[in-house]
Amino acid sequence: MFSIETAEQVAAALELPDWVLEKSAAWTYACFGFFGDSFEDIVKTRFPEPYAAAQQWVHVNQHPFAKRLPYLNPWHCIASILGYFAVIVTFRLFGRFLGKCTCRNLGLFHNLGLHLLSLYMSVGLMVSARAAGYTVWNNAAGTSRAEWRIAKLIWLFYVSKVVEWVDTLIMLLKQNYHQVSFLHIYHHATIFAMWWLASMKAPGGEAYYSAMVNSAIHVVMYGYYFLTLLFPSGAVRSVLNRFKFVITKGQMTQFAFNCMQSAYDLVLVPRAQLKYSAPLLQALFWYMISLLALFGNFLMKGSKRAHHHTHRAAAAEHSSVAAKEASLKKTGEGDAVKVGMTKVQVREQQKLSKHKNGTNGTSASQKTAIHPNAATQANAEPVFRH
């Protein structure tokens, strides 16, 4: 493991500049601030008491760094989620009038961008946590200079959940509505809310681990999506197809590790020595349980569909072979070909047979009349190989 001094140097080089937060906040507010403010005004006007209680709760529970991080207004967060739902409903109702879009270029840009962003966040969080002197688990969300770096990366991870909503937009534009499932919508909406809560209450400490592991998984996942678009067919795509369910299993593995983290902190660490927020750890544990259940159900259904598809393909191939064999058996030519005779040899044998029948003065019908089983016996006799 590299030293804290080395980690400090690397973390300083990778630190997210403060001006990025300021510029992104200004740009986001200029584009969408009106909708967030309008929603907040509606809640404030129609539900003054719940609004005041929520504002008081946020004021009491927010971390000192939260005041310096943009896009943490709770009403803007809720408005964003409602806007996400509205886009899905709108496309489901009126998408057929727009027609299908391939979205290949958008998909390439989106997946490559999130692949690189996830790589930056995973490496940055790992190095910054080392520079801050973190252990693997049970870390406090402090206010040191090193932890400000972590807080900015946690905030960036939180904002990246909005960028991931483009996944849903691409599915809707391509009219792949079956992909916009309950699991997909639940995961994308709730994880944004969960990381708003973490960024507001404790942007650091134990939050680094979940964000780091999830970013590492997304490096692989979005890299896979990028390559599947880059290679829609061929040998590379055949190799990629084998890793389809590996991605889902990787996601489930990270959920399991997050459960282990929260269980370790809540059960094995004495409450007096627990350095992170217990309510956040409890929320993390049960949220990971829900994702494990939903992703596990998705994986089992996908495995059953793949097995059923393979079984149907094998049955269809068997039926095709059986049909071909049956058609060959219906003709003497087919039987002859099966034992190695050519078509020319079959015709010559048929001519000889007719000539022989003529010289004997007995027609095929007469033979059948004299010996009812003669035709059957002739067909049953093996054809000579030449």
Side-chain angles (χ1 to χ4, degrees):
M1 190 67 174
F2 47 86
S3 65
I4 294 180
E5 291 75 14
T6 303
E8 173 65 28
Q9 295 174 359
V10 177
L14 294 176
E15 182 177 0
L16 183 69
D18 289 359
W19 65 263
V20 173
L21 277 68
E22 298 169 0
K23 294 292 184 181
S24 62
W27 181 84
T28 303
Y29 188 80
C31 294
F32 308 105
F34 170 77
F35 301 101
D37 290 343
S38 299
F39 176 75
E40 183 176 1
D41 290 340
I42 292 172
V43 175
K44 184 178 181 179
T45 303
R46 297 191 177 185
F47 309 99
E49 293 183 2
Y51 173 83
Q55 290 293 100
Q56 179 63 22
W57 184 87
V58 170
H59 177 73
V60 171
N61 288 277
Q62 68 178 349
H63 190 273
F65 286 158
K67 299 175 182 178
R68 301 169 59 184
L69 296 171
Y71 197 35
L72 289 180
N73 184 316
W75 310 109
H76 289 188
C77 173
I78 297 173
S80 299
I81 296 174
L82 293 177
Y84 174 66
F85 292 155
V87 169
I88 294 173
V89 173
T90 301
F91 269 91
R92 290 303 301 268
L93 292 176
F94 305 106
R96 63 181 180 274
F97 299 111
L98 300 175
K100 289 186 178 182
C101 300
T102 58
C103 299
R104 185 173 185 272
N105 292 332
L106 175 60
L108 286 169
F109 177 78
H110 171 68
N111 290 318
L112 180 60
L114 278 175
H115 169 76
L116 296 175
L117 179 61
S118 299
L119 180 62
Y120 168 74
M121 291 187 295
S122 61
V123 174
L125 283 166
M126 179 182 66
V127 175
S128 298
R130 176 60 175 165
Y134 279 11
T135 57
V136 178
W137 292 337
N138 192 26
N139 299 284
T143 57
S144 67
R145 179 71 183 85
E147 288 171 307
W148 171 238
R149 294 195 194 107
I150 296 175
K152 288 188 288 185
L153 288 170
I154 294 294
W155 173 86
L156 181 62
F157 181 78
Y158 153 68
V159 172
S160 72
K161 301 300 124 181
V162 177
V163 181
E164 290 175 12
W165 288 351
V166 178
D167 293 350
T168 310
L169 179 62
I170 291 174
M171 294 174 186
L172 293 170
L173 288 171
K174 295 170 69 174
Q175 295 189 4
N176 291 341
Y177 297 136
H178 66 282
Q179 292 182 315
V180 188
S181 60
F182 172 78
L183 168 60
H184 179 88
I185 298 172
Y186 172 81
H187 177 53
H188 278 272
T190 54
I191 198 169
F192 174 69
M194 287 292 295
W195 281 101
W196 169 83
L197 182 62
S199 299
M200 185 277 300
K201 188 173 177 60
E206 290 296 81
Y208 97 93
Y209 182 81
S210 297
M212 179 184 68
V213 174
N214 185 256
S215 296
I217 292 295
H218 281 190
V219 171
V220 179
M221 186 180 76
Y222 283 106
Y224 167 82
Y225 291 153
F226 173 75
L227 290 175
T228 54
L229 286 174
L230 198 61
F231 300 99
S233 60
V236 176
R237 182 55 184 266
S238 299
V239 174
L240 291 171
N241 287 340
R242 300 176 185 177
F243 292 92
K244 180 178 180 180
F245 288 107
V246 174
I247 303 297
T248 304
K249 292 178 181 178
Q251 289 177 305
M252 294 182 67
T253 301
Q254 64 146 337
F255 300 152
F257 274 104
N258 289 338
C259 281
M260 291 170 59
Q261 177 199 21
S262 54
Y264 171 85
D265 287 341
L266 292 169
V267 177
L268 298 181
V269 177
R271 192 54 57 96
Q273 299 177 16
L274 183 61
K275 300 177 182 179
Y276 198 70
S277 168
L280 278 181
L281 290 169
Q282 292 168 351
L284 171 68
F285 178 81
W286 291 112
Y287 181 58
M288 290 298 110
I289 290 295
S290 71
L291 290 179
L292 275 172
L294 290 171
F295 273 78
N297 181 60
F298 168 79
L299 188 63
M300 286 190 294
K301 286 184 177 179
S303 299
K304 288 180 180 179
R305 282 196 299 268
H307 177 74
H308 181 64
H309 177 74
T310 303
H311 179 72
R312 288 183 61 184
E317 183 179 358
H318 178 74
S319 299
S320 177
V321 172
K324 289 180 180 178
E325 290 180 352
S327 64
L328 288 173
K329 288 180 180 179
K330 289 181 180 179
T331 62
E333 181 177 336
D335 290 333
V337 171
K338 287 180 67 177
V339 297
M341 294 181 65
T342 65
K343 294 182 178 180
V344 175
Q345 292 170 335
V346 171
R347 286 195 292 269
E348 290 177 353
Q349 186 181 24
Q350 290 173 346
K351 289 179 181 179
L352 289 173
S353 177
K354 289 180 180 179
H355 178 71
K356 185 177 180 180
N357 290 337
T359 56
N360 291 337
T362 307
S363 65
S365 59
Q366 289 173 329
K367 282 189 174 183
T368 305
I370 298 171
H371 300 288
N373 295 328
T376 305
Q377 291 172 357
N379 289 334
E381 291 177 356
V383 181
F384 291 99
R385 294 176 184 267
H386 291 272

